[in-house]
Amino acid sequence: MSDVPEPVEFCPGCKSAEIVRGVKVGISNEINKVGLKCEAGLFQPGTEPILADLCDGCGLILRFYVTEKRRWVIG
């Protein structure tokens, strides 16, 4: 996706270069998944996993993002 900001190389908080990329955010169980709601097809609801980049040095979350462009469910 071209709309996703470029990943940072150094943490703005502690200046560490120990950046962990693509960590999945959320909890899932057999009933529900946590993520951004989208249309999965034939008007079926789905969820797109939220990913995060974070600093392994201080724990600062640097960005949240998704990898797929979807038709998002608003409201």
Side-chain angles (χ1 to χ4, degrees):
M1 285 176 56
S2 61
D3 298 3
V4 176
E6 289 295 317
V8 297
E9 298 299 320
F10 297 95
C11 175
C14 71
K15 310 300 183 217
S16 172
E18 299 177 47
I19 308 300
V20 181
R21 303 186 193 288
V23 178
K24 283 190 176 181
V25 177
I27 301 169
S28 64
N29 59 31
E30 290 134 20
I31 300 170
N32 295 312
K33 290 185 179 179
V34 175
L36 299 176
K37 289 185 180 182
C38 61
E39 291 181 11
L42 297 173
F43 303 105
Q44 296 290 325
T47 54
E48 179 66 26
I50 301 169
L51 303 176
D53 291 351
L54 62 99
C55 175
D56 204 28
C58 71
L60 181 68
I61 297 172
L62 304 171
R63 68 178 183 151
F64 289 115
Y65 59 97
V66 295
T67 57
E68 299 293 326
K69 195 164 196 164
R70 304 277 188 172
R71 185 177 204 142
W72 305 108
V73 176
I74 307 296

